[in-house]
Amino acid sequence: MKVLIIGAHGKVGRLLVKELQARKIDFAAGLRKEEQIKAYQADGIPTQYIDLTASPKEIKDSIAQSGADTIVFSAGAGGAGYDKTLEIDLDGAIKTMDLAPELGIKRYVMVSAVYSDDRSKWEQSGIRPYYIAKHYADKYLRGTNLDYTIVHPGTLTDDEATNQIKIQSNYEGGSVARGDVAKVIARALETPSSIKKDYNFVAGDESIVEAIK
């Protein structure tokens, strides 16, 4: 397995880089900015330039250069405006899903949002367009032939990871450390039974190994 982390400079993405390093899982950190690439390379981290706003051909070439057979999509517009949210979180994500089969990539892990399947929460969130983008990206992924896993963490915190979570059938409230989100992603990559599944989770008292299994 070689993983391309799309969005490796995000808060979860950076922790996932460390997690995959610790587990000795081969990966490339997908990055868009030159200064990010230089900084990662200076730390000995393998990188791959990828711009989700580029043409499908350019994105395909970037993914191919990474040599990856697995994609983790952890990218997001990050408050850059709803035009960018549409471009990155929806169109960018779907472009990678469409291109994956052309590149022989079957495994795909999506880092989604906690309310992406609950329309009743979108308006009060204050970021309704973001949830619309995540909802339809998730829905599109479920309709592909990819071996997908979609993770829906609760409110993200910078607390220390505990390696324990609570799975919820629907989001009932709660938070979870970003470090534990990275651990969930890494464990899902190692767990075949996580394929074709969605995980809603918050901090809890069940080990991530057992929760994902």
Side-chain angles (χ1 to χ4, degrees), residues 32 36 50 78 85 93 109 112-113 120 128 134 139 147 151 167 171 173 176 178 180 193 207:
R32 184 177 64 85
Q36 295 170 357
I50 184 164
T85 297
V109 178
S112 186
S120 69
R128 186 168 180 267
K134 298 304 289 185
K139 186 175 182 178
D147 289 340
V151 299
I167 299 289
Y171 181 61
V176 64
R178 288 182 172 87
D180 283 322
S193 61
S207 75

Side-chain angles (χ1 to χ4, degrees), residues 15-183:
L15 292 168
L16 182 58
V17 164
K18 294 179 180 179
E19 193 65 30
L20 297 191
Q21 284 178 318
R23 294 171 185 250
K24 301 190 184 307
I25 295 175
D26 194 13
F27 74 93
L31 304 162
R32 184 177 64 85
K33 295 182 178 180
E34 185 178 350
E35 59 268 28
Q36 295 170 357
I37 291 172
K38 287 180 178 178
Y40 276 54
Q41 289 177 345
D43 288 334
I45 298 169
T47 63
Q48 176 58 54
Y49 171 79
I50 184 164
D51 180 2
L52 293 170
T53 67
S55 70
K57 183 184 183 305
E58 290 172 301
I59 295 172
K60 183 178 179 179
D61 289 344
S62 292
I63 297 174
Q65 288 167 17
S66 75
D69 56 19
T70 300
I71 288 174
V72 172
F73 192 94
S74 186
Y82 291 132
D83 287 351
K84 280 294 181 186
T85 297
L86 184 67
E87 204 171 13
I88 301 297
D89 297 73
L90 181 57
D91 188 48
I94 288 176
K95 281 188 284 191
T96 65
M97 296 174 208
D98 284 342
L99 292 168
E102 299 178 22
L103 294 160
I105 294 173
K106 188 72 173 171
R107 191 74 170 99
Y108 195 107
V109 178
M110 169 65 78
V111 182
S112 186
V114 68
Y115 293 131
S116 68
D117 292 322
D118 187 352
R119 289 175 175 271
S120 69
K121 300 291 197 303
W122 295 356
E123 196 63 49
Q124 68 193 57
S125 73
I127 50 173
R128 186 168 180 267
Y130 168 76
Y131 281 111
I132 292 172
K134 298 304 289 185
H135 173 78
Y136 284 103
D138 292 352
K139 186 175 182 178
Y140 192 90
L141 179 55
R142 294 186 193 108
T144 68
N145 290 320
L146 295 168
D147 289 340
Y148 71 81
T149 302
I150 304 175
V151 299
H152 306 261
T155 303
L156 298 173
T157 74
D158 291 322
D159 295 341
E160 187 174 347
T162 65
N163 213 24
Q164 293 181 311
I165 58 171
K166 177 184 178 182
I167 299 289
Q168 299 178 334
S169 56
N170 293 297
Y171 181 61
E172 300 150 14
S175 61
V176 64
R178 288 182 172 87
D180 283 322
V181 178
K183 291 178 183 297

